[in-house]
Amino acid sequence: MPPLARRDVKSLVRKLGADARPSQQQQALNTIMKLSICDGDRDSLVAIAAAGAIPPLVQLLGGLGSSAGKQGHAAVALGNLAMTAENAGIIAAAGAVPPLVHMLGPRNVAVIVAAGAIPPLVQLTAHGATYSVQGNAAGALMVLAVNAANQSTIAATGAIPPLVKLLGAGSPNARFAVAALNNLALNNPATVVAIAKAGAIPALVRLLGPGSDTETNLAAAQALIELCRTNTENRAATAAAGVSANLVREMETIGLGRLFT
């Protein structure tokens, strides 16, 4: 971090508070977001957090008075700060991930994506301090992936491998990851191929078994629908992964049996 920015970062953090003028708050938020991106070396990220930036960023992320633009910039800053293990723990402890998931309503999605939130969310999915943090970040990607325009961006940012890894994390994290992969696959042949290549099919088949709850069973079945609907190689891979006759009969109850016969 340049000396000037290091000297002023505490002043910037103070301006993030609710008692600051809106214009000051916005300017301070923009500057801290840019510092977290441009000075993204470990020491600088730790220094920004040490100046007290994380709690007010979390407040901006989940505060009722925060605009979608402010929430998006706070999400970017927190995502970049979370790239160090020390900061990721502080961010998770401060309760940042649940409001991040909650704020992703339809009106906010475009603003949040434009503010650059996808790469930080992918980072949290892959490197969040706990399975809970990773799962909640996967839930946010799930919401963003409903928009077809975001599917390729999310996949290109590297989200698919960590999402597939989360399939073995157990509920509810597995359910979030399954739903995110399902949404990424919707009417998108390129992501269908990428998800299968990342090893999702055997993991999804395992989630169809008795070790998962009913919601996860159904979510995994729906994801397999999308992966196999128009891809014969994925159908064969699903059968090879151990879709037994009994399991086919269970899947027929939700219209899946025809895909594997």
Side-chain angles (χ1 to χ4, degrees):
M1 183 185 300
L4 178 62
R6 189 182 299 276
R7 185 172 65 247
D8 287 356
V9 69
K10 287 189 177 181
S11 174
L12 290 170
V13 169
R14 285 194 294 272
K15 292 176 183 177
L16 291 178
D19 55 346
R21 292 199 302 271
S23 59
Q24 285 185 322
Q25 188 181 63
Q26 184 66 65
Q27 184 177 17
L29 177 59
N30 291 346
T31 302
I32 286 177
M33 182 189 72
K34 290 175 183 176
L35 286 172
S36 74
I37 296 170
C38 299
D39 297 324
D41 63 280
R42 181 186 177 282
D43 289 344
S44 293
L45 295 176
V46 171
I48 292 170
I54 289 174
L57 287 171
V58 173
Q59 288 297 316
L60 287 170
L61 187 66
L64 294 177
S66 292
S67 66
K70 285 183 180 179
Q71 289 177 324
H73 288 139
V76 173
L78 286 166
N80 287 320
L81 292 174
M83 291 181 190
T84 74
E86 300 96 320
N87 290 350
I90 297 169
I91 290 167
V97 177
L100 181 60
V101 176
H102 177 74
M103 78 182 192
L104 289 174
R107 291 182 301 172
N108 291 340
V109 165
V111 176
I112 291 161
V113 171
I118 288 176
L121 284 170
V122 172
Q123 285 290 329
L124 283 174
T125 302
H127 305 298
T130 66
Y131 274 137
S132 178
V133 171
Q134 292 171 350
N136 283 325
L141 291 174
M142 170 193 72
V143 177
L144 292 176
V146 171
N147 185 321
N150 295 334
Q151 292 171 347
S152 296
T153 301
I154 292 169
T157 309
I160 290 173
L163 287 171
V164 171
K165 186 176 180 180
L166 276 178
L167 296 180
S171 297
N173 302 308
R175 191 156 61 244
F176 286 142
V178 171
L181 290 168
N182 177 69
N183 289 349
L184 286 171
L186 288 171
N187 302 311
N188 194 320
T191 58
V192 163
V193 171
I195 290 166
K197 284 186 175 179
I201 287 175
L204 288 168
V205 170
R206 285 193 292 273
L207 290 174
L208 293 171
S212 300
D213 59 39
T214 301
E215 288 187 35
T216 303
N217 288 155
L218 293 174
Q222 184 60 48
L224 285 167
I225 286 180
E226 295 305 326
L227 293 177
C228 297
R229 191 186 299 278
T230 59
N231 191 302
T232 55
E233 290 184 6
N234 287 355
R235 295 185 193 182
T238 301
V243 180
S244 66
N246 288 337
L247 196 51
V248 169
R249 281 194 291 273
E250 292 177 20
M251 294 168 73
E252 283 174 342
T253 65
I254 54 171
L256 282 170
R258 67 186 185 279
L259 294 176
F260 307 104
T261 59

